[in-house]
């Protein structure tokens, strides 16, 4: 026997990383994580600043991974998967708004000082004051950018901070040489680093504000769980306690208007509960004793006493939030391409900046001498021109243009193009009861060409209902249902549950049963009012049923029903047919999916007649149906399906798990089993199929936004980089100054994020 063993399955790690600013940072972090032993996969999200790491051995210790990232200049911390949901105050503190507002104040202050210096106000006209302000700027607000830029460059993975830092320090050092040694003739433009950093910090503040809005949907989902609950202690009054302190078995009181704090079961009271915050279901559900409620549901009209089933960290809403957070760190394939390009883009920009410097210094001004400006008039700042639009020497012009090239390039827009749209879509979809497993699931959903469905519990309700009652021997239909339901009262069989529901619908009281016994695969027997009765298969009740009975049974079965016979001492008393009913929205959903260009099919383990009956009612051709299929046969159909594109499988049961995992996209309905949901790339919460259509429309709109953002990011760089390099300077006098380049760079990132937010405004129909 081989001694080789499969590596142990370890839970993926989710890290929060500070300091990432562009796609180059994303690429650097991914490469560093993938280079660590024991790491199989790593996926980094620039927008949420998280890293999802799939580890296969204990070699990939948390300490080693954190240390490796610290070597790149990125501070990281592990986000525990079982942590309690933070309180509202903690969530607000976690945004660290004071730091961002301080960043804005510093940026505006730098810009104000630079403008006053140009206007020679408040004694700021002296060149030494500009030198002092620039020095303090680099040592203060500019220091983190310079440090991160140097660390990334030393690691061989230059980032956006490297470009900005190189531009800022080049302008500062050149100005310092010209200030200390005027005989060199070098220009002095100390305002360059001041204005550059001012615009960069202003842009990052605005970008951070826009980022916050992209995650607002997930924040609103977290706010559905209250911070406190009313704990019942013996006969005393209820006491307010933190939700994190509740444990299974505790009892809490819910007043009208209260949110359910944790998952629990109703023990006292009855009323209506709004679950739309979690599942998107528009109609409230009836809550009575024994009803399970999920955290985040809203109690509408009556006091309830709830027994806690799971603590706050294990509640349904906590699991949804953790699932979405992890999914946001899993990128779409198209994002991986953008990140790879952004990682190499920085090197291209560095080469272009060097080429620009050498060209205009050594050759450009000789070819077009008119690009150099005359010396400033008396009273102007010598060697310190307004907004750096003038250059007296070839070196001064070359330096300004090369700095503009460094600053105007924006790998940030490339890095943000995909995750902004993906994050907005995931958060908003979660509020509508649609849970994507990652950006890859959204991209796959947008490209679907075919979709296969399971039958029971997916296209049907999964709960048989009585469809026909045919009494014999002069027995009434009510009497027949009453006898059958009484015998089935202790049974867990789905058909027995259908009989009990029918008796309840008719308002029939159950009768006392003696000597009850269940016969596996046959039915149940017992004595009612002294009479021996049986309910089950006709062949079990009658060894040789009459042709009339057989004909009646065959007619009911042709309609897709399962038939139970009710018999007594005098023979068969009647037949009861029960069938699994189609979901009321199934036909409309299939029609909508066909309208979206998808090919459809049905795979079922049920008998041929019910499958054909359901297919006919839903408009499916017989060639699109499969019946009496075992799980391995469903899997084989999936693998051999000629989809000519991405294929999805929709199911809810344990036997659907292999097919869900094998399809390009597995879709599990929210009422399905946990194993089915764990095998799926998309989970539709609630008892509704319309969510599938909404999810596909959302995915297509999301990928359209991704393509728009990528087109903008690539187009922006293709246009502004040549402008910054001075392509239009000789013929049109167009010069892109470094401060203006910094402003354009910031606006490009903001544009991408704002465009993604427009997607959020268009998703209101998910609720």
């Amino acid at each position: 026997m081989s001694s080789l063993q499969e590596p142990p399955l370890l839970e993926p790690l989710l890290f929060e990383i500070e300091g990432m600013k562009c796609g180059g940072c994303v690429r650097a972090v991914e490469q560093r994580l993938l280079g660590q032993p024991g790491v199989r996969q790593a996926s980094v999200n620039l927008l949420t600043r998280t890293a999802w790491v799939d580890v296969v051995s204990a070699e990939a210790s948390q300490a080693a991974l954190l240390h490796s990232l610290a070597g790149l200049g990125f501070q990281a911390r592990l986000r525990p998967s079982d942590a309690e949901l933070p309180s509202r105050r903690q969530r607000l503190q976690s945004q660290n708004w004071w730091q961002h507002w301080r960043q804005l104040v510093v940026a505006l202050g730098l810009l104000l000082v630079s403008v006053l210096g140009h206007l020679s106000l408040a004694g700021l006209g002296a060149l030494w004051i500009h030198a002092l302000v620039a020095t303090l700027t680099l040592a203060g607000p500019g220091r983190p950018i310079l440090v991160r830029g140097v660390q990334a460059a030393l690691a061989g993975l230059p980032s956006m901070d490297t470009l900005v830092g190189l531009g800022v320090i080049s302008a500062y050092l050149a100005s310092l040489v010209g200030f200390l040694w005027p005989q060199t003739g070098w220009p002095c433009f100390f305002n360059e680093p001041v204005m550059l950093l001012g615009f960069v910090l202003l842009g990052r503040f605005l970008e951070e504000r826009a980022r916050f809005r992209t995650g607002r949907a997930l924040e609103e989902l977290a706010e559905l769980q209250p911070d406190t609950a009313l704990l019942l202690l013996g006969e005393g009054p209820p006491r307010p306690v933190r939700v994190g302190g509740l444990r299974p078995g505790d009892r809490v009181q819910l007043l009208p208007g209260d949110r359910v704090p944790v998952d629990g079961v109703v023990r006292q009271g009855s009323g209506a509960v709004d679950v739309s915050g979690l599942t998107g279901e528009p109609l409230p559900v009836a809550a009575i004793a024994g009803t399970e409620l999920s955290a985040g549901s809203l109690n509408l009209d009556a006091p309830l006493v709830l027994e806690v089933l799971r603590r706050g960290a294990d509640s349904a809403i906590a699991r949804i939030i953790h699932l979405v957070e992890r999914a946001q760190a899993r990128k779409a394939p198209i994002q991986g391409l953008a990140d790879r390009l952004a990682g190499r883009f920085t090197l291209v920009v560095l080469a272009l900046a060097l080429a620009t410097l050498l060209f205009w210094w050594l050759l450009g001004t000789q070819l077009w001498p008119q690009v150099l400006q005359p010396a400033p008039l008396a009273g102007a700042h010598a060697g310190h021109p307004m907004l750096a639009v003038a250059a007296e020497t070839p070196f001064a012009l070359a330096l300004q243009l090369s700095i503009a090239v460094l600053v105007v390039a924006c790998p940030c827009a490339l890095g943000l193009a995909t995750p902004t749209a993906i994050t907005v879509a995931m958060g908003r979809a979660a509020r509508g009861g649609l849970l994507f497993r990652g950006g890859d699931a959204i991209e796959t959903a947008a490209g679907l060409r075919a979709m296969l469905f399971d039958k029971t519990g997916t296209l049907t309700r999964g709960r048989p209902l009585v469809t026909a009652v045919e009494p014999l021997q002069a027995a009434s239909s009510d009497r027949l249902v009453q006898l059958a339901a009484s015998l089935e009262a202790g049974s867990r069989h789905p058909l027995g549950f259908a009989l009990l529901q029918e008796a309840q619908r008719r308002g029939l009281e159950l009768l006392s049963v003696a000597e009850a016994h269940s016969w596996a695969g046959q039915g149940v027997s017992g004595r009612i009012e002294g009479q021996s009765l049986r309910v089950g298969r006709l062949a079990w009740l009658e060894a040789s049923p009459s042709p009339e009975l057989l004909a009646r049974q065959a007619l009911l079965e042709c309609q897709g029903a399962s038939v139970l016979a009710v018999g007594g001492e005098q023979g068969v008393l009647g037949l009861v047919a029960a069938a699994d009913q189609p979901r009321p929205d199934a036909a409309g959903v299939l029609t909508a999916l066909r309208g979206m260009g998808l090919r459809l099919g049905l795979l079922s383990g049920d008998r041929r007649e019910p499958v054909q009956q359901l297919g006919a009612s839903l408009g499916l051709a017989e060639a699109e149906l499969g019946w009496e299929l075992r799980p391995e046969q469903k899997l084989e159909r999936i693998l051999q399906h000629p989809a000519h594109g991405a294929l999805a499988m929709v199911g809810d049961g344990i036997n659907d798990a292999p097919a869900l995992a094998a399809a390009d996209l597995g879709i599990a309905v929210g009422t399905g089993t946990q194993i089915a949901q764990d095998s799926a790339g998309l989970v539709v919460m609630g008892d509704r199929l319309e969510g599938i259509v909404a999810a596909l429309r959302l995915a297509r709109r999301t990928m359209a936004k991704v393509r728009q953002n990528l087109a903008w990011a690539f187009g922006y760089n293709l246009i502004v980089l040549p402008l910054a390099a001075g392509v239009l300077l000789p013929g049109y006098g167009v010069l892109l100054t470094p401060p203006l380049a910094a402003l354009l760079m910031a606006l490009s990132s903001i544009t991408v994020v704002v465009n993604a937010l427009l997607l959020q405004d268009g998703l209101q129909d998910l609720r």
Side-chain angles (χ1 to χ4, degrees), residues 345 352 404-405 408-410 710-729 734-736 741 744 748:
F345 179 73
L352 180 60
V405 170
V408 79
C410 193
L710 288 174
W712 163 258
F714 282 111
Y716 162 82
N717 285 295
L718 287 175
I719 293 174
V720 298
L721 279 174
L723 286 178
V727 170
L728 299 182
L729 181 58
V734 176
L735 177 69
L736 193 60
L744 290 177
S748 67

Side-chain angles (χ1 to χ4, degrees), residues 21 37 56-57 177 209 217 231 266 339 368 394 414 462 513 515 518 568 666:
K21 300 298 181 184
V56 294
S57 72
V177 170
R209 291 283 295 176
L231 178 64
V266 177
D339 288 343
W368 302 288
L414 285 174
V513 180
E515 302 177 15
S518 179

Side-chain angles (χ1 to χ4, degrees), residues 407-616:
V407 176
V408 79
C410 193
C412 300
L414 285 174
L416 290 171
T418 299
T420 48
I422 295 292
T423 300
V424 168
M426 282 187 178
R428 193 64 187 84
R431 289 296 313 275
L434 306 174
L435 305 181
F436 287 96
R437 293 286 178 181
D440 50 346
I442 289 183
E443 186 170 348
T444 302
L448 286 178
R449 293 295 177 267
M451 185 175 295
L452 302 177
F453 289 85
D454 174 53
K455 171 182 171 287
T456 305
T458 303
L459 290 178
T460 66
R461 295 182 179 274
R463 299 182 298 272
L465 298 176
V466 172
T467 57
V469 179
E470 296 194 2
L472 304 172
Q473 301 186 16
S476 68
S477 61
D478 283 354
R479 177 64 174 175
L480 194 65
V481 171
Q482 185 180 39
L483 293 175
S486 299
L487 286 171
E488 292 279 5
S491 171
R492 295 182 178 271
H493 195 281
L495 295 179
F497 184 72
L499 286 169
L500 291 172
Q501 278 192 307
E502 182 66 13
Q504 183 179 17
R505 187 184 70 83
R506 296 184 179 215
L508 303 175
E509 267 191 46
L510 297 184
L511 304 174
S512 177
V513 180
E515 302 177 15
H517 184 73
S518 179
W519 303 84
Q522 304 294 339
V524 295
S525 64
R527 298 185 66 84
I528 296 179
E529 298 175 352
Q531 183 181 7
S532 178
L533 296 169
R534 288 187 295 174
V535 175
R537 296 174 60 243
L538 178 60
W540 179 53
L541 271 69
E542 291 277 347
S544 299
S546 66
E548 181 184 356
L549 275 177
L550 291 175
R552 289 195 177 190
Q553 176 180 259
L555 180 61
L556 293 173
E557 288 179 343
C558 286
Q559 298 172 359
S562 298
V563 180
L564 292 175
V566 183
E569 297 172 352
Q570 294 80 27
V572 177
L573 302 178
L575 301 177
V576 179
D580 193 4
Q581 301 298 308
R583 291 179 183 261
D585 57 348
V589 167
L590 296 187
T591 301
L593 292 174
R594 286 193 191 278
M596 298 173 70
L598 272 68
R599 292 183 295 276
L600 305 178
L602 172 61
L603 303 180
S604 176
D606 206 348
R607 295 176 295 109
R608 175 174 181 168
E609 291 80 7
V611 172
Q612 289 180 326
Q613 181 78 15
L614 177 65

Side-chain angles (χ1 to χ4, degrees), residues 118-180:
H118 285 297
L119 299 177
S120 300
L121 297 178
L124 297 177
L127 194 58
W128 70 268
I129 294 182
H130 288 281
L132 177 62
V133 170
T135 303
L136 294 177
T137 298
L138 266 65
R143 184 174 179 274
I145 294 177
L146 297 178
V147 171
R148 287 194 298 264
V150 170
Q151 288 177 327
L154 293 177
L157 299 166
S159 65
M160 188 67 228
D161 283 336
T162 304
L163 298 180
V164 173
L166 186 58
V168 169
I169 204 68
S170 299
Y172 175 77
L173 292 178
S175 301
L176 192 62
V177 170
F179 175 63
L180 297 178

